[in-house]
């Protein structure tokens, strides 16, 4: 199957594209996009990979579902398109960033600037129907993204995995923690953050400290 994805990822995942589950998944996604309003737009479904080639991945952030509101999702987890108001989780991410690193909350919620520096912003499910959270779950995307995480764990070393919330922690259970740096905390959603499970985690400074210790360029968050 010809999947339009960044070449290094295409090489690493090519076997996956030929599997029955993936072909059924793509058939489902094509039908959904033809008959419903879905996000992100088709050309952005694999944006997380297109912005961040395999050999450049230094940090992985695992999300769950794309945003399902009009014009929000752009293929990168927690990120919104230019000019779109920040969703609550992204507001809390930026508040923690401000507290942790002392930098002002940015004017744009488009996190392409992170992806370009080696941050893989990976949702577990890469597509969603408008205004229907979770509508494309359990169709095969989770199997695909589990494979992506496994390939990263097996094929690289010293990657920082940021697991925010119970879903991401479960998704990251098989990461080889003897080779990689795994940080876990609550989800940045208001429900979790207001219970004291998000703020003060200092994941941004701890990530950069680890990268510096490995002789790698820190992320300009």
């Amino acid at each position: 199957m010809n999947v339009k994805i960044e070449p290094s990822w295409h090489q690493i995942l090519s076997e996956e594209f030929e599997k029955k589950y993936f072909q059924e998944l793509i058939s489902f996604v094509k039908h959904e996009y033809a008959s419903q309003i879905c996000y992100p737009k088709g050309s952005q479904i694999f944006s997380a990979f297109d912005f961040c080639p395999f050999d450049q991945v230094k940090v992985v952030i695992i999300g769950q579902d794309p945003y399902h509101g009009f014009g929000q999702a752009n293929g990168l987890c927690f990120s919104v398109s230019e000019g779109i108001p920040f969703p609550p989780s992204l507001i809390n991410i930026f508040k923690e960033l401000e507290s942790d690193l002392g930098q002002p909350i940015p004017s744009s919620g488009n996190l392409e600037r992170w992806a370009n520096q080696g941050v893989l912003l990976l949702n577990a499910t890469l597509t969603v129907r408008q205004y229907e959270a979770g509508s494309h779950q359990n169709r095969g995307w989770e199997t695909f993204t589990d494979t992506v995480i496994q390939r990263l764990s097996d094929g690289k070393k010293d990657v920082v995995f940021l697991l925010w919330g119970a879903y991401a922690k479960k998704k990251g259970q098989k990461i080889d923690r003897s080779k990689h740096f795994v940080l876990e905390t609550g989800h940045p959603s208001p429900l979790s953050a207001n219970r004291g499970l998000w703020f003060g985690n200092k994941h941004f400074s701890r990530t950069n400290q680890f990268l510096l210790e490995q002789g790698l360029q820190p992320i300009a968050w």
Side-chain angles (χ1 to χ4, degrees):
M1 177 175 283
N2 183 29
V3 177
K4 292 181 180 177
I5 192 171
E6 191 277 329
S8 67
W9 282 109
H10 196 285
Q11 185 176 354
I12 283 159
L13 298 169
S14 58
E15 289 179 13
E16 214 64 17
F17 300 147
E18 302 308 318
K19 291 181 179 177
K20 185 171 183 284
Y21 90 87
F22 191 85
Q23 295 181 359
E24 289 174 351
L25 166 64
I26 294 304
S27 178
F28 164 76
V29 169
K30 284 180 176 177
H31 180 266
E32 282 284 289
Y33 273 71
S35 61
Q36 307 288 335
I37 298 173
C38 297
Y39 300 119
K41 62 184 180 182
S43 61
Q44 294 180 321
I45 291 173
F46 294 106
S47 280
F49 305 92
D50 295 337
F51 279 101
C52 194
F54 182 84
D55 63 341
Q56 294 178 26
V57 176
K58 296 193 287 189
V59 181
V60 180
I61 299 177
I62 299 174
Q64 190 165 351
D65 240 14
Y67 295 124
H68 55 82
F70 175 76
Q72 290 181 307
N74 64 2
L76 309 176
C77 74
F78 296 108
S79 174
V80 291
S81 300
E82 217 66 53
I84 297 292
F86 302 165
S89 292
L90 188 56
I91 290 171
N92 286 337
I93 289 169
F94 287 157
K95 283 181 177 177
E96 174 59 25
L97 190 55
E98 182 180 44
S99 167
D100 185 11
L101 296 178
Q103 63 187 56
I105 290 176
S107 58
S108 169
N110 190 336
L111 302 182
E112 288 176 10
R113 58 187 181 275
W114 294 4
N116 283 326
Q117 299 176 75
V119 182
L120 182 69
L121 294 160
L122 181 67
N123 274 318
T125 302
L126 299 189
T127 56
V128 70
R129 192 185 288 187
Q130 181 175 252
Y131 305 139
E132 293 185 39
S135 49
H136 287 187
Q137 290 178 3
N138 303 314
R139 291 287 187 161
W141 279 131
E142 295 91 343
T143 302
F144 174 70
T145 51
D146 279 346
T147 301
V148 169
I149 293 166
Q150 198 65 56
R151 293 282 192 276
L152 286 163
S153 179
D154 294 345
K156 295 181 71 73
K157 66 173 186 172
D158 297 332
V159 173
V160 183
F161 288 88
L162 303 182
L163 309 181
W164 297 344
Y167 185 90
K169 291 173 189 175
K170 185 178 179 183
K171 189 90 173 158
Q173 279 179 344
K174 294 183 179 178
I175 296 164
D176 186 344
R177 295 172 192 231
S178 69
K179 291 171 59 184
H180 302 286
F181 187 46
V182 180
L183 291 172
E184 298 183 353
T185 190
H187 195 274
S189 69
L191 182 66
S192 176
N194 293 341
R195 287 162 51 207
L197 301 175
W198 166 254
F199 291 114
N201 63 65
K202 297 192 179 298
H203 277 194
F204 303 104
S205 60
R206 292 170 70 189
T207 294
N208 279 352
Q209 181 182 348
F210 176 81
L211 292 174
L212 285 167
E213 288 169 357
Q214 310 314 311
L216 298 169
Q217 187 75 18
I219 307 299
W221 299 105

